[in-house]
Amino acid sequence: MELPFAESYKMKMVETIRKSTREERETWLKSARYNLFNLKSEQVFIDLLTDSGTGAMSDRQWSEMMLGDESYAGASSYYKMKNAIRDILGFEYFLPTHQGRAAENVLFSALIKKGDIVPGNSHFDTTKGHIEYRNATAVDCTIDEAFSTTVNHPFKGNIDLEKLKHVLSNNPVERIPVIIVTVTCNSSGGQPVSIQNLRDVYTLAKKYNIPVFFDSARFAENAYFIKLREPGYSGKTIREIVREMYTYADGMTMSSKKDAIVNMGGFIGFRDEQLWKKAQTFNIMFEGFITYGGMSGRDMNALAQGLYEGTEFEYLDTRIRQVAYLGKRLSDFGVPVQMPYGGHAIFVDAKRFLPHIPKEQFPAQTLAIELYLEGGVRGVEIGAILADRDPVTRKNRYPELELLRLTIPRRVYTNNHMDYVAVALANVWERRDDIHHGVKIVSEAPIMRHFTVELERAEVHALAH
Ligand SMILES: Cc1ncc(COP(=O)(O)O)c(C=O)c1O
């Protein structure tokens, strides 16, 4: 018999999680103003809010924590991180930051000014937020296939070269300071970008002399999909693929809370020494001295170790198979999800799940609420609430995809947990026609409102604005 698949690690420490009753959850959710970010973690049984900083560090990462050098300047931990970045990603220059959005803040302070245009593939919300905060515009050039959850395209994170060409040739080059390619593309469903596409984008960008930066939170998961899906790459190691990916980038921003499997941390990688020097000033202003950014020495050590572990095939295979396991269970129940399954999460198509909830009443948030009430499972809305208002017209933006993201933390849950989640959502699916309440916004922040928005349940068709 062929030996079945088994996880590439075993457990040494566990954390108790507790179930709750539906009545308790109803009370808690009401007090949380129907925003799942406002729940206390102890009010959640299985937490699929994010894979960001929620992973389990390994025994080796914890031992590295003990070896951290907390010197203000020139700590050995900084050099450990520098060596790992050079070794794995090939960047000579880097700046540590406390997380991914801090890397964006520092880099964009050096690169982006009012009126600029930043093309990319479905920019992540913090990326877009930092662009719009500077009165610049993010232009989405993702391929059309990404916006249909039923189309089974292997690289739905790809940039449409025609769309990109259109942006580059119809705007003055000096107004396009950078092209950002997100690998994997979180907002389009954790979907990868092919090496071919990275190469083509880079070649096109070079014709216009525009730098390309990768938003790299899940770069290793991207490399895993290239290995599995792109002709000519099955025989290469993940690290070989990663090295090739980054030959098509002038730099990178990194939220290390994902593929470097740490609870906090980030960095910016640069090829250009001048830009690195320019960005240093902003790093010092916003983050800390250039050899620690916003990180402690012990965290830099764990991050360096995590970069090696996060680029091992066995680890990635375990992780992405678990995501696919949840996807398959849901598909078997008939629940509509983004196909193919993403790298870090399963994205449930809320428009197809709850077609009777109007977009003005936020179907994906409604679904997130129903799943929490059903089983204490916390997912997150990736839809119109996240998409925010248009900065100029202040009208709600309704993206083509209205998704509930079930994000799986790294090395944390077992497949029994995935079974629980699948059945909880299948129960909601069974009773979907009886869901007669969407939500309406009671109060919201002027930018990045999803984190703090306050909501009320509203009867379907009771409002439309
Ligand atoms: C693609 C992508 N870029 C940037 C970020 C921002 O990183 P952080 O949460 O570390 O600030 C995230 C976080 O989820 C992300 O998924």
Side-chain angles (χ1 to χ4, degrees):
M1 261 197 295
E2 195 185 330
L3 293 175
F5 175 77
E7 288 78 4
S8 63
Y9 48 79
K10 57 183 179 175
M11 287 164 206
K12 203 178 275 194
M13 188 185 280
V14 294
E15 178 183 340
T16 301
I17 50 176
R18 233 174 288 107
K19 287 189 183 156
S20 50
T21 64
R22 185 172 172 119
E23 291 68 39
E24 283 175 322
R25 293 194 288 275
E26 272 169 8
T27 312
W28 293 334
L29 199 52
K30 199 164 179 219
S31 320
R33 305 282 179 161
Y34 297 98
N35 178 346
L36 281 77
F37 282 97
N38 286 337
L39 290 171
K40 293 181 182 163
S41 62
E42 68 206 32
Q43 296 167 341
V44 176
F45 180 50
I46 297 179
D47 204 347
L48 306 186
L49 183 72
T50 177
D51 63 329
S52 182
T54 53
M57 290 210 297
S58 68
D59 50 355
R60 280 163 199 257
Q61 285 179 291
W62 280 108
S63 359
E64 282 297 332
M65 298 281 280
M66 299 306 292
L67 300 172
D69 176 353
E70 306 303 341
S71 306
Y72 189 94
S76 64
S77 301
Y78 167 80
Y79 290 101
K80 213 172 243 183
M81 191 165 152
K82 182 177 168 68
N83 289 341
I85 290 170
R86 189 198 289 129
D87 193 18
I88 292 175
L89 298 148
F91 288 105
E92 199 53 47
Y93 306 105
F94 93 103
L95 291 171
T97 61
H98 77 274
Q99 62 182 100
R101 69 200 69 187
E104 290 162 358
N105 188 29
V106 170
L107 178 69
F108 294 175
S109 297
L111 271 184
I112 298 177
K113 55 187 187 321
K114 187 174 173 180
D116 281 352
I117 289 164
V118 183
N121 53 341
S122 303
H123 309 69
F124 182 65
D125 58 351
T126 61
T127 320
K128 199 171 185 173
H130 275 295
I131 293 168
E132 292 179 349
Y133 181 70
R134 289 169 171 79
N135 294 311
T137 309
V139 180
D140 187 2
C141 298
T142 315
I143 55 169
D144 290 340
E145 287 87 337
F147 303 108
S148 166
T149 54
T150 50
V151 174
N152 215 331
H153 186 291
F155 292 104
K156 276 183 165 176
N158 278 0
I159 288 204
D160 182 324
L161 296 168
E162 289 308 315
K163 288 186 193 170
L164 181 61
K165 239 181 249 167
H166 183 80
V167 178
L168 301 190
S169 55
N170 284 292
N171 291 287
V173 165
E174 59 281 6
R175 282 187 56 203
I176 309 177
V178 63
I179 296 168
I180 294 180
V181 187
T182 307
V183 289
T184 57
C185 186
N186 188 354
S187 311
S188 78
Q191 299 291 326
V193 183
S194 69
I195 281 266
Q196 182 63 47
N197 194 251
L198 295 176
R199 194 181 296 130
D200 292 344
V201 168
Y202 191 69
T203 308
L204 183 60
K206 288 305 110 180
K207 278 196 194 143
Y208 291 82
N209 207 16
I210 297 170
V212 177
F213 270 65
F214 291 175
D215 177 351
S216 303
R218 301 179 185 83
F219 73 95
E221 292 174 6
N222 201 89
Y224 174 89
F225 284 120
I226 289 171
K227 182 175 170 71
L228 260 63
R229 296 180 185 169
E230 192 151 357
Y233 286 86
S234 62
K236 294 196 190 284
T237 65
I238 296 293
R239 289 201 195 126
E240 283 168 343
I241 297 170
V242 168
R243 281 308 283 258
E244 184 177 341
M245 281 167 60
Y246 282 91
T247 58
Y248 308 120
D250 300 293
M252 63 181 287
T253 53
M254 176 72 183
S255 168
S256 307
K257 302 165 73 174
K258 284 84 166 175
D259 276 359
I261 331 176
V262 286
N263 304 119
M264 193 49 75
F267 60 90
I268 316 167
F270 304 85
R271 231 174 271 300
D272 176 13
E273 188 181 1
Q274 290 315 311
L275 183 59
W276 172 63
K277 286 195 170 150
K278 189 174 177 195
Q280 284 180 1
T281 309
F282 298 104
N283 214 55
I284 291 168
M285 278 194 330
F286 300 140
E287 292 293 295
F289 185 58
I290 57 169
T291 63
Y292 74 86
M295 299 185 70
S296 16
R298 54 182 172 272
D299 287 339
M300 290 195 277
N301 272 16
L303 194 163
Q305 172 65 23
L307 281 176
Y308 287 102
E309 291 179 19
T311 48
E312 277 168 14
F313 177 78
E314 288 298 325
Y315 151 73
L316 283 164
D317 200 33
T318 301
R319 162 152 184 72
I320 292 175
R321 275 173 185 263
Q322 183 172 54
V323 176
Y325 178 82
L326 175 61
K328 172 89 175 48
R329 292 284 340 248
L330 290 171
S331 298
D332 288 348
F333 283 124
V335 174
V337 301
Q338 167 76 302
M339 296 300 293
Y341 307 133
H344 64 297
I346 293 299
F347 291 72
V348 183
D349 188 336
K351 279 191 193 168
R352 283 163 61 211
F353 199 117
L354 296 173
H356 58 289
I357 307 276
K359 64 182 191 311
E360 295 81 6
Q361 287 181 273
F362 308 111
Q365 181 66 19
T366 303
L367 189 52
I369 287 169
E370 291 296 336
L371 177 62
Y372 175 72
L373 292 175
E374 180 69 32
V377 177
R378 174 159 67 171
V380 71
E381 188 248 24
I382 305 281
I385 297 182
L386 178 89
D388 238 319
R389 290 181 189 272
D390 182 286
V392 180
T393 65
R394 299 307 299 157
K395 286 214 161 81
N396 274 320
R397 289 188 281 212
Y398 294 105
E400 288 184 58
L401 292 178
E402 177 73 18
L403 303 167
L404 166 67
R405 189 183 75 180
L406 304 173
T407 339
I408 304 183
R410 293 166 180 77
R411 307 191 287 210
V412 170
Y413 291 117
T414 68
N415 283 3
N416 284 335
H417 293 116
M418 297 303 112
D419 287 336
Y420 179 98
V421 173
V423 172
L425 195 55
N427 288 347
V428 180
W429 176 243
E430 282 290 298
R431 62 175 174 77
R432 62 191 182 280
D433 294 338
D434 300 328
I435 298 171
H436 300 302
H437 285 81
V439 286
K440 69 172 184 183
I441 294 179
V442 178
S443 88
E444 62 184 283
I447 195 164
M448 304 199 43
R449 64 182 180 185
H450 56 291
F451 289 114
T452 52
V453 69
E454 296 190 356
L455 303 162
E456 251 174 29
R457 296 220 75 176
E459 220 174 303
V460 169
H461 297 310
L463 83 159
H465 60 83

